[in-house]
Amino acid sequence: MNLQQAGQALRARTVSSVELMRHSLQRITQVDSKLKAFITVMAESAEAQAREADARFASGTDLGPLQGIPVAVKDVFCTAGVRTTCGSKLFADYVPEQDSAVVERLRSAGAVLLGKTNMHELAYGVTSSNPHYGAVRNPWDCNRVAGGSSGGSGSAVAAGMAFMAMGSDTGGSIRIPAAFCGTVGLKPTYGRVSRIGVLPLDFSLDHMGPLTRSVRDAGATLNALAGYDPRDETSSRRPTENYVPSEKVSVRDLRIGLPENFYFDQVAPVIVDSIHHAATVLERSGARILPIRLPDVAALNTVGRIILLCEAAATMQRYLGRREDFGSDVLALLDQGSLIPGTDYVNAQRMRRVLRQQFAAIYESVDCLLTPTTPTTAPKVGQALIKIGDQEQDVRIASTRLVRGINVLGWPALSVPCGFDEQRLPIGVQIIGRPFAEALILKVGALLEDSLGIVGQEPRL
Amino acid sequence: MNRDWKSIARGLALGIPESEIEKIEAPLQDLTNHFNSILDTLPHETEPAVIFRCGEEGE
């Protein structure tokens, strides 16, 4: 059952919010000792919120599609009175006084907050093998990572512990776990969802968005989250729209770009085949699949890495004397950021402007891009190198290669399950749009979801 | 030209053990080399993508 189906059942009174919430908590009890998807479970407050939701339904009050739905948030979103660790030993006892803007909006929409999900330490990595709170496991194969940094959110949604879980994405951290865990993951445009009350990793690259069991669930969540927040200087005043695709979507005459360069280099053949199949499905539905040559994506990634290293090191500088409180991989990245000169950071932000102009020009010929989300399926827990063809690559560099650049541009991007590999591990297709084109990429994702029949398949645990 | 990362760390008094710098200097140098090659195309007058705004007028 997905979020929208649960909402229909709640409104038909065939199930109550308390029943949904208890089922979620039971599922957490059953499988989370194995998956390590949660850092904190909020059973008591969830029970109270579910009772409130049921009372609202009984009185005829309806706050929208999230009312009464059990959800979770990555432990990077501040929750008033509930510790927010950011997956770090540094914040193990940090209890915020206020909710983050995202949590405020979820509460206003009547959602039931089950708990805080596990993540890569400080949201700075792609495995979610957290040295302090446990390694998050992939529900499709518990020997494999869930991806990161929002790995707990991906694992929780895929394993049926929550109907939606919020993630943050600085260099792919929503889309990578979505692809590895077989969920939908939406990174909205920079400025579309408020960053207030989210422990920052990188001010100019951090994005907030949902991981869900269907594309329409992601649209319904964005409806609740999107909008101007005067407390966030980067928040957009652009009006929001309805992000939930209609029941019967059309992609007729949509120009969908299939990159000729970069995005299909050093990608596992089974993933290339899956993306080409998705393109064929879209073409049969009336879309125009257009080969497109993109500007320098490798340059975009390098600029993104310089910005990420420097901003993260600056953000964490006051804690860097406590070296023993960091995991070794995160500390190595923070050390790298501390060593890069300020001139490189400023020049990276200047180069970002040049690249943004170059990449914006592609929308003269296409409406969106279709690419793989990751070049491989989920690696094993503890695996540092991954083989693609005859080349061995660093797992972190490989996993972020097809997603990182989009954070530099701030564009919206959606990962949708589109197939499985030979070991029945999920494959994700990435749909990338122009700024604030969330409705369009969700429409394309919904067509794939409706046509491929992949979304909704569940792992056997 | 390669940067002397150990000297930079010492000069900035970062407290990073030399053994740790040895683990990161190769990837850091690779990244820096690629970045420097990209910078050759950066027009002189380009301003950073992150700009200070004085109040709401600039938004």
Side-chain angles (χ1 to χ4, degrees):
Chain A
M1 187 188 274
N2 64 35
L3 188 154
Q4 289 212 312
Q5 290 161 345
Q8 285 163 8
L10 285 168
R11 282 161 188 81
R13 304 291 177 86
T14 55
V15 71
S16 70
S17 177
V18 168
E19 285 170 328
L20 285 180
M21 183 274 307
R22 285 183 183 162
H23 181 268
S24 289
L25 289 179
Q26 193 180 20
R27 186 75 176 147
I28 293 170
T29 305
Q30 279 171 350
V31 300
D32 203 43
S33 57
K34 197 189 296 182
L35 296 178
K36 305 280 184 207
F38 280 84
I39 290 178
T40 302
V41 176
M42 299 155 62
E44 245 178 67
S45 57
E47 174 95 24
Q49 288 161 21
R51 287 190 186 286
E52 278 173 35
D54 285 333
R56 279 198 208 97
F57 282 121
S59 68
T61 305
D62 197 335
L63 300 175
L66 297 188
Q67 179 165 289
I69 302 290
V71 303
V73 296
K74 184 179 183 178
D75 208 17
V76 73
F77 292 91
C78 285
T79 37
V82 178
R83 74 169 179 162
T84 300
T85 68
C86 205
S88 164
K89 197 173 173 183
L90 299 169
F91 304 109
D93 301 314
Y94 173 55
V95 179
E97 290 180 5
Q98 291 186 320
D99 283 334
S100 57
V102 160
V103 170
E104 279 175 7
R105 290 195 183 222
L106 291 174
R107 290 193 200 281
S108 298
V112 174
L113 189 52
L114 290 167
K116 317 284 298 285
T117 55
N118 198 355
M119 54 189 281
H120 203 102
E121 181 182 12
L122 295 170
Y124 207 176
V126 300
T127 64
S128 301
S129 294
N130 190 302
H132 315 296
Y133 303 98
V136 182
R137 305 281 170 155
N138 191 315
W140 293 90
D141 177 349
C142 291
N143 294 314
R144 295 183 183 266
V145 301
S149 62
S150 311
S153 293
S155 184
V157 169
M161 291 186 266
F163 287 92
M164 183 282 290
M166 284 299 301
S168 64
D169 189 320
T170 304
S173 286
I174 289 171
R175 291 159 288 160
I176 295 166
F180 286 175
C181 292
T183 75
V184 171
L186 172 64
K187 182 196 82 63
T189 309
Y190 189 75
R192 183 72 299 174
V193 174
S194 174
R195 295 180 301 115
I196 289 296
V198 181
L199 297 179
L201 177 63
D202 262 60
F203 302 102
S204 73
L205 296 171
D206 289 346
H207 299 64
M208 315 304 146
L211 291 95
T212 57
R213 289 184 209 157
S214 84
V215 171
R216 289 176 181 82
D217 290 358
T221 306
L222 187 60
N223 277 352
L225 299 178
Y228 176 62
D229 183 347
R231 299 167 297 179
D232 179 353
E233 273 198 67
T234 60
S235 180
S236 172
R237 292 172 187 269
R238 191 185 175 101
T240 60
E241 52 191 306
N242 178 18
Y243 298 105
V244 182
S246 61
E247 238 174 73
K248 194 163 171 53
V249 292
S250 169
V251 292
R252 184 154 297 282
D253 295 330
L254 209 61
R255 302 168 305 165
I256 298 176
L258 202 60
E260 289 180 319
N261 57 317
F262 192 86
Y263 276 98
F264 291 93
D265 300 341
Q266 296 168 52
V267 174
V270 66
I271 293 183
V272 172
D273 290 347
S274 281
I275 308 308
H276 284 153
H277 177 62
T280 304
V281 165
L282 289 164
E283 194 165 38
R284 281 190 198 135
S285 303
R288 291 162 57 200
I289 301 296
L290 304 171
I292 183 166
R293 189 143 198 95
L294 298 174
D296 191 346
V297 186
L300 196 63
N301 281 344
T302 289
V303 163
R305 286 179 64 201
I306 295 279
I307 294 170
L308 172 63
L309 288 168
C310 293
E311 290 190 9
T315 307
M316 297 309 299
Q317 190 182 34
R318 63 188 288 196
Y319 303 104
L320 290 177
R322 296 166 59 179
R323 296 182 68 82
E324 68 283 2
D325 288 343
F326 293 90
S328 58
D329 63 327
V330 169
L331 190 58
L333 291 170
L334 292 169
D335 285 344
Q336 289 180 52
S338 301
L339 289 165
I340 295 174
T343 45
D344 281 3
Y345 175 74
V346 173
N347 283 332
Q349 289 287 11
R350 293 172 73 211
M351 202 65 216
R352 184 183 198 178
R353 183 179 291 272
V354 172
L355 290 164
R356 190 175 63 187
Q357 286 162 355
Q358 290 174 3
F359 274 83
I362 71 167
Y363 291 113
E364 289 166 16
S365 54
V366 298
D367 298 306
C368 64
L369 297 172
L370 196 73
T371 78
T373 306
T374 54
T376 69
T377 52
K380 289 186 173 160
V381 174
Q383 189 175 346
L385 297 172
I386 197 155
K387 201 164 185 182
I388 307 171
D390 55 359
Q391 282 197 331
E392 280 207 318
Q393 296 183 29
D394 175 280
V395 162
R396 183 168 48 84
I397 301 291
S399 300
T400 55
R401 195 160 58 83
L402 309 180
V403 285
R404 180 187 301 288
I406 305 308
N407 293 63
V408 180
L409 299 170
W411 293 353
L414 177 73
S415 182
V416 179
C418 69
F420 293 92
D421 72 1
E422 306 84 353
Q423 292 157 301
R424 203 161 166 73
L425 295 169
I427 295 169
V429 58
Q430 180 175 223
I431 305 151
I432 301 165
R434 71 177 83 216
F436 301 100
E438 282 85 358
L440 185 142
I441 62 173
L442 285 160
K443 185 167 79 170
V444 175
L447 191 130
L448 288 175
E449 174 172 276
D450 295 344
S451 307
L452 293 171
I454 304 290
V455 176
Q457 293 193 30
E458 291 175 8
R460 285 192 202 136
L461 270 162
Chain B
M1 192 170 62
N2 284 359
R3 286 176 178 155
D4 184 345
W5 300 105
K6 286 178 187 163
S7 294
I8 293 172
R10 274 196 300 273
L12 292 171
L14 293 174
I16 307 173
E18 292 211 348
S19 59
E20 297 296 311
I21 294 177
E22 281 163 14
K23 290 180 199 162
I24 61 175
E25 57 190 354
L28 199 46
Q29 193 57 52
D30 287 348
L31 179 68
T32 303
N33 290 345
H34 188 228
F35 182 61
N36 286 336
S37 72
I38 298 163
L39 283 186
D40 291 343
T41 64
L42 180 64
H44 180 72
E45 68 282 6
T46 308
E47 294 199 8
V50 177
I51 295 177
F52 171 71
R53 292 188 176 117
C54 181
E56 292 187 1
E57 292 300 309
E59 291 173 9

